[in-house]
């Protein structure tokens, strides 16, 4: 969706070359996973693609991974050529549905055109697909992030997990801890499905830290009759900084679906916030017909609850709201805020994961403690119809307040885009996004800013700069680099002023997903980087800008990723996605990409 708001620049004082102009509803961090195929993580070269007249001001590549083998393929494809077809038959198979019959969103990945016969993956190909610094369990299936928090000097991360297979099912809670959000220690399962109220699944939940040191964990359980109920758990030993053992409250469930709410439309309790009346409040996602809603309950002890009249918020036509999140952001400071913080100089972000389209939408507005309602600042950018956290694979996200560094951190589940048979063969499925800090965008006043946590910089082992490179229209410039399987790239572009003057108006509305991708050339675009490309560019993933002038004479800048040639495999989804990048006058275009 087009965004009418101007963009802004996020400056990193430790890296002067990093001045990243980013979309105000698109993550400034682009997590790029290796493509499927024998060429995955080829480490030899980086390709810079310029398809319009402009000046590349600077480019910084920090190598952060270990060296790996290089594999090449012969091909004579060019950027504008169609993707090379394979010899695999185009047999279409209907994949097994996993999730909806149990009352949650679809967990099986399905290609838009159907699932073809499995690609003949080799163990070598699959071994390259495991990421370097995304969080993922040692094996098997993972989905939603659960109950993240900082406790006892450790970052705790819980997650939806199948301990038995690399497909969704038999969901329990995995648990890991870290000192730096990068290196993780995997612990025993935190909670398993061992009571009637969660026998069909220990589903998504959130943690709340109380001022007296208690840790409260609320989660959704699927009962023996597949009714969604809310349950309470707490650490068995608060003196254990690893919180290895958990106890379920004997009086569970503490909440059941209220009248008018379907038994399978009542899930994912939020972190609680504290009100001036001495009561805690939580929100739970649901729907009424096709209207997505969030119910609010108050409690004094997390065991007995009262449903607050009305709803936190509702948006017609958005369907079931999953994994609702509500948190405050400061209008003046760059630090994060505790979930209970409210008052002058504060706005509240409301986010919902829409079951209907599997995307995470957010909006900024005002939360009233008196009425218990949240109101968007701009109804045209309401939850589910306006801004998104991310335009790639990103769902079921959850934030937490990190009191250790006074920041709010965002996690999100990145699902697979290859077939289930490949997941089973490689023995694992899904990763979590790189954790991101979240702050209010003070330049636009309408958006949030996301940025990878500062700890990512500790992975950099060497750096190479390319400064003031001038390139012409249609150029493909090869940048010689050391061998590396992982990189942290920042590229900054300045468009030639004369080229801007020459751009003509168009009666065609440009879109990343429907306007031909990186093969469609215009007067100013696409220009950007070719990632994970082999020697002949048979496989490549362009990440690029595209500048277009509309019929109103106004320039619009788009930031896109084109996966249409990211793999030769035919059972991998290859989307083209992205959105507008509103640009403030005088700013340069910059991108930061983590290749992992």
């Amino acid at each position: 969706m087009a965004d009418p708001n101007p963009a802004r620049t996020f400056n990193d004082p430790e890296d002067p070359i990093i001045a990243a102009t980013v979309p105000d509803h698109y993550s400034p961090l682009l997590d790029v996973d290796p493509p499927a195929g024998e060429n995955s993580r080829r480490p030899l070269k980086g390709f810079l693609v310029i398809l319009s007249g402009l000046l590349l001001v600077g480019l910084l590549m920090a190598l952060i991974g270990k060296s790996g083998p290089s594999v090449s393929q012969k091909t004579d494809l060019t950027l504008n050529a169609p993707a090379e077809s394979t010899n695999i038959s185009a047999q279409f198979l209907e994949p097994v549905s996993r999730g909806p019959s149990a009352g949650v969103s679809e967990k099986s990945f399905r290609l838009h055109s159907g699932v073809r016969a499995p690609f003949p993956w080799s163990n070598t190909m699959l071994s390259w697909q495991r990421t370097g610094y995304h969080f993922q369990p040692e094996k098997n299936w993972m989905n939603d992030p659960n109950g993240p928090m900082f406790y006892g000097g450790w970052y705790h991360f819980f997650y939806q997990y199948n301990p038995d297979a690399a497909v969704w099912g038999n969901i329990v809670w995995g648990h890991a801890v870290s000192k730096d959000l990068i290196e993780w220690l995997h612990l025993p399962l935190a909670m398993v499905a061992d009571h009637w109220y969660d026998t069909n699944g220990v589903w998504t939940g959130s943690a709340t830290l109380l001022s007296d040191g208690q840790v409260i964990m609320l989660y959704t359980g699927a009962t023996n009759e597949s009714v969604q109920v809310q349950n309470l758990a707490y650490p068995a030993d608060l003196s254990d900084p690893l919180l290895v053992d958990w106890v379920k409250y004997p009086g569970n469930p503490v909440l059941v679906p209220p009248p008018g709410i379907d038994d399978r439309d009542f899930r994912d309790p939020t972190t609680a916030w504290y009100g001036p009346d001495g009561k805690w409040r939580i929100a739970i996602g649901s729907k009424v017909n096709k209207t997505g809603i969030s119910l609010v309950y108050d409690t004094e002890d997390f065991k007995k609850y009262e449903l607050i009249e009305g709803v936190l918020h509702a948006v017609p036509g958005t369907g079931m709201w999953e994994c609702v999140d509500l948190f405050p952001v400061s209008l003046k400071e760059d630090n994060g805020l505790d979930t209970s913080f409210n008052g002058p100089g504060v706005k509240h972000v409301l986010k919902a994961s829409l079951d209907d389209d599997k995307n995470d939408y957010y909006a900024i507005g005002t939360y009233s403690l008196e009425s218990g309602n949240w109101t968007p600042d701009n109804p045209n950018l309401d939850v589910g119809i306006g801004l998104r956290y991310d335009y790639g694979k990103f769902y079921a996200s959850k934030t937490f307040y990190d009191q250790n560094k006074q920041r709010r951190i965002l996690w999100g589940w990145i699902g697979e885009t290859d077939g289930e048979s490949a997941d089973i063969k490689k023995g694992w499925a899904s990763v979590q996004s790189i954790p991101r800090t979240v702050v209010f965008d003070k330049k636009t006043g309408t958006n949030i800013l996301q940025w990878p946590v500062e700890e990512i910089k500790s992975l950099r082992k060497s750096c190479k700069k390319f400064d003031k490179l001038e390139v012409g229209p249609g150029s493909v410039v090869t940048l010689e680099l050391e061998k590396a399987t992982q990189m942290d790239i920042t590229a900054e572009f300045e468009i030639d002023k004369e080229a801007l003057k020459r751009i003509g108006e168009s009666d065609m509305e440009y879109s990343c997903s429907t306007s031909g991708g990186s093969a469609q050339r215009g007067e100013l675009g696409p220009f950007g980087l070719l990632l994970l490309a082999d020697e002949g560019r048979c496989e490549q993933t362009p990440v690029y800008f595209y500048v277009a002038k509309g019929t109103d004479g106004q320039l619009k800048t788009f930031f896109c990723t084109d996966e249409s040639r990211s793999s030769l495999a035919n059972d991998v989804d290859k989307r083209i996605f992205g959105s507008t990048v509103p640009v403030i006058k005088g700013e340069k275009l910059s991108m930061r990409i983590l290749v992992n």
Side-chain angles (χ1 to χ4, degrees):
M1 303 176 186
D3 192 323
N5 301 297
R8 66 277 176 266
T9 299
F10 190 99
N11 294 304
D12 188 331
E14 296 184 26
D15 291 305
I17 195 170
I18 298 179
T21 303
V22 292
D24 46 320
H25 61 268
Y26 192 90
S27 166
L29 168 66
L30 177 65
D31 292 337
V32 181
D33 292 326
E38 196 72 46
N39 286 352
S40 294
R41 298 214 188 185
R42 60 195 62 72
L44 280 184
K45 297 179 179 179
F47 291 96
L48 173 64
V49 181
I50 307 298
L51 298 178
S52 290
L54 54 85
L55 175 69
L56 176 65
V57 176
L59 189 144
L60 173 69
M61 291 190 178
L63 308 183
I64 59 180
K66 296 179 181 179
S67 297
S70 172
V71 185
S72 62
Q73 286 182 325
K74 294 182 179 180
T75 178
D76 57 359
L77 293 179
T78 64
L79 184 63
N80 290 319
E84 182 73 24
S85 62
T86 68
N87 294 323
I88 306 302
S89 65
Q91 177 184 359
F92 289 89
L93 303 174
E94 183 66 23
V96 175
S97 176
R98 301 183 187 276
S101 63
V104 293
S105 60
E106 180 63 65
K107 299 301 188 292
S108 289
F109 174 71
R110 299 183 170 201
L111 288 171
H112 297 300
S113 56
V115 176
R116 298 174 175 85
F119 185 81
W121 299 98
S122 69
N123 289 331
T124 300
M125 296 175 186
L126 295 175
S127 67
W128 278 117
Q129 291 191 32
R130 193 165 179 90
T131 62
Y133 50 93
H134 282 277
F135 176 85
Q136 58 187 130
E138 296 171 309
K139 61 181 181 178
N140 296 331
W141 169 274
M142 172 182 65
N143 54 287
D144 303 8
N146 293 157
M149 60 178 165
F150 182 81
Y151 181 87
W154 293 88
Y155 290 101
H156 290 255
F157 186 76
F158 304 85
Y159 52 93
Q160 300 283 276
Y161 182 59
N162 181 355
D164 302 320
V167 298
W168 185 87
N170 309 314
I171 295 300
V172 299
W173 274 31
H175 183 197
V177 294
S178 173
K179 288 288 187 178
D180 59 6
L181 296 168
I182 297 174
E183 300 290 340
W184 292 88
L185 171 65
H186 294 278
L187 298 176
L189 299 177
M191 289 189 285
V192 298
D194 56 1
H195 289 75
W196 69 267
Y197 52 77
D198 60 13
T199 189
N200 280 317
V202 183
W203 290 348
T204 295
S206 301
T208 302
L209 305 183
L210 307 189
S211 59
D212 61 1
Q214 293 187 68
V215 178
I216 298 294
M217 195 72 78
L218 294 173
Y219 71 93
T220 299
T223 73
N224 54 351
E225 297 182 347
S226 294
V227 178
Q228 293 174 7
V229 298
Q230 313 312 315
N231 302 306
L232 168 64
Y234 36 81
D237 181 7
L238 286 172
S239 66
D240 173 16
L242 300 183
L243 301 179
V244 172
D245 297 316
W246 289 79
V247 175
K248 296 177 182 177
Y249 173 53
N252 280 335
V254 294
L255 280 172
V256 298
I261 298 299
D262 190 88
D263 287 348
R264 297 189 176 194
D265 294 334
F266 183 66
R267 55 186 179 268
D268 310 335
T270 65
T271 295
W273 62 94
Y274 194 69
D277 57 358
K279 296 181 179 180
W280 291 91
R281 290 173 175 80
I282 63 167
I284 298 173
S286 187
K287 70 174 181 176
V288 175
N289 299 319
K290 289 296 292 182
T291 296
I293 66 172
S294 182
L295 304 168
V296 178
Y297 290 82
D298 64 23
T299 179
E300 295 182 5
D301 59 6
F302 292 93
K303 299 174 183 177
K304 297 180 181 179
Y305 295 80
E306 181 178 350
L307 178 62
I308 295 179
E309 184 177 355
V311 296
L312 176 66
H313 194 54
V315 181
T318 55
M320 177 66 195
W321 282 13
E322 297 189 300
C323 304
V324 170
D325 201 4
L326 177 72
F327 59 89
V329 288
S330 172
L331 302 183
K332 299 179 181 179
E333 306 297 331
D334 289 332
N335 58 286
L337 299 175
D338 181 85
T339 305
S340 297
F341 196 92
N342 203 348
V346 171
K347 289 286 185 179
H348 275 78
V349 174
L350 178 61
K351 165 260 164 183
S353 301
L354 299 196
D355 189 9
D356 284 359
D357 70 3
K358 308 299 182 293
N359 291 309
D360 279 21
Y361 293 84
Y362 80 93
I364 295 176
T366 301
Y367 170 65
S368 170
L369 286 168
E370 290 72 25
S371 67
N373 304 129
W374 176 92
T375 305
D377 288 347
N378 183 351
N380 294 324
L381 296 176
D382 208 343
V383 178
I385 61 174
L387 310 179
R388 280 166 53 179
Y389 276 162
D390 197 301
Y391 280 76
K393 288 283 290 183
F394 187 90
Y395 192 65
S397 60
K398 184 175 294 295
T399 67
F400 75 101
Y401 176 63
D402 173 16
Q403 73 275 22
N404 181 46
K405 294 189 174 182
Q406 290 77 53
R407 58 184 176 177
R408 181 157 293 271
I409 295 177
L410 170 68
W411 287 97
W413 167 44
I414 301 175
E416 296 298 301
T417 58
D418 53 7
E420 187 173 281
S421 60
D423 296 340
I424 294 172
K425 189 170 184 178
K426 70 178 185 276
W428 59 269
S430 301
V431 299
Q432 297 294 330
S433 66
I434 300 298
R436 312 168 181 179
T437 57
V438 177
V439 297
F440 180 72
D441 182 351
K442 295 190 288 294
K443 285 192 175 182
T444 65
T446 58
N447 312 82
I448 61 170
L449 289 170
Q450 304 173 59
W451 201 247
V453 292
E454 62 184 2
E455 288 86 345
I456 292 296
K457 291 181 183 178
S458 67
L459 294 172
R460 298 174 179 175
K461 72 172 188 178
S462 63
C463 178
K464 188 166 185 178
K465 290 186 179 181
F466 301 86
D467 194 22
K468 297 181 180 179
L469 298 176
E470 188 170 355
V471 293
S475 300
V476 177
V477 179
T478 300
L479 302 177
E480 299 291 340
L481 302 170
E482 298 178 39
K483 289 184 178 181
T485 57
Q486 301 151 24
M487 290 186 292
D488 187 345
I489 305 170
T490 297
E492 187 178 78
F493 303 88
E494 182 176 0
I495 299 174
D496 182 80
K497 293 181 180 179
E498 293 302 317
L500 278 174
K501 293 178 182 179
R502 290 194 301 268
I503 187 171
E505 294 182 4
S506 173
D507 58 359
M508 299 291 292
E509 182 69 25
Y510 185 83
S511 166
C512 290
S513 59
T514 62
S515 296
S518 59
Q520 181 64 38
R521 297 189 180 186
E523 293 184 76
L524 283 178
F527 56 91
L529 301 178
L530 282 180
L531 301 172
L532 300 165
D534 61 12
E535 291 288 348
R537 291 174 32 221
C538 185
E539 288 186 354
Q540 61 184 24
T541 303
V543 180
Y544 57 94
F545 292 106
Y546 191 101
V547 181
K549 182 180 289 186
T551 55
D552 58 0
Q554 299 298 311
L555 292 176
K556 287 186 178 180
T557 303
F558 297 81
F559 185 51
C560 315
T561 299
D562 183 350
E563 296 178 340
S564 60
R565 288 171 55 190
S566 61
S567 173
L568 294 180
N570 65 335
D571 59 351
V572 176
D573 193 33
K574 304 167 189 176
R575 301 182 184 183
I576 304 171
F577 55 86
S579 187
T580 55
V581 186
V583 180
I584 292 175
K585 185 177 181 180
E587 288 186 334
K588 298 180 179 67
L589 298 177
S590 178
M591 62 175 73
R592 183 178 179 189
I593 303 170
L594 297 182
V595 181
N596 183 8

